[in-house]
Amino acid sequence: MRITCPVCGERSVAEFAYEGDATLPRPALDASAEDWCVAVYERENPRGPHAEYWQHAQGCRSWLKVERDTLTHAILGVTLLGRFSGRTGE
Ligand SMILES: [Zn+2]
């Protein structure tokens, strides 16, 4: 599988780290431990198009929202969410 980073271009998925489901709302910071446990550990296993958070961990370290078909692994879209703040010179 290959992901096109908006900053670096097309790269192997080995350069990226999966960072979670982008469709789930996050609990408030002061939510109960039970609410956080559900949000962190109880997951669906969706089939078909799905939104996920990824980080280009071995590249520019940008955070991305990737639309990926979980059945075919086809990348349907990539959105840049934010660039790593420690990167300089670009
Ligand atoms: Zn990148």
Side-chain angles (χ1 to χ4, degrees):
M1 188 167 82
R2 297 183 70 81
I3 296 174
T4 300
C5 173
V7 177
C8 306
E10 185 178 304
R11 298 288 194 270
S12 167
V13 71
E15 293 186 11
F16 295 83
Y18 175 79
E19 299 292 350
D21 187 334
T23 64
L24 299 175
R26 302 286 189 249
L29 292 177
D30 60 350
S32 69
E34 183 177 341
D35 288 344
W36 273 103
C37 185
V38 168
V40 172
Y41 295 109
E42 293 186 15
R43 294 281 187 248
E44 297 292 324
N45 191 14
R47 298 178 65 181
H50 190 63
E52 303 168 330
Y53 292 122
W54 289 77
Q55 185 185 26
H56 193 186
Q58 302 298 316
C60 64
R61 303 182 71 181
S62 293
W63 283 81
L64 311 172
K65 183 177 179 180
V66 176
E67 306 285 336
R68 182 176 68 91
D69 189 313
T70 61
L71 289 176
T72 64
H73 299 294
I75 303 299
L76 307 172
V78 178
T79 303
L80 179 66
L81 297 178
R83 296 189 67 170
F84 177 63
S85 61
R87 182 127 174 138
T88 60
E90 291 185 25

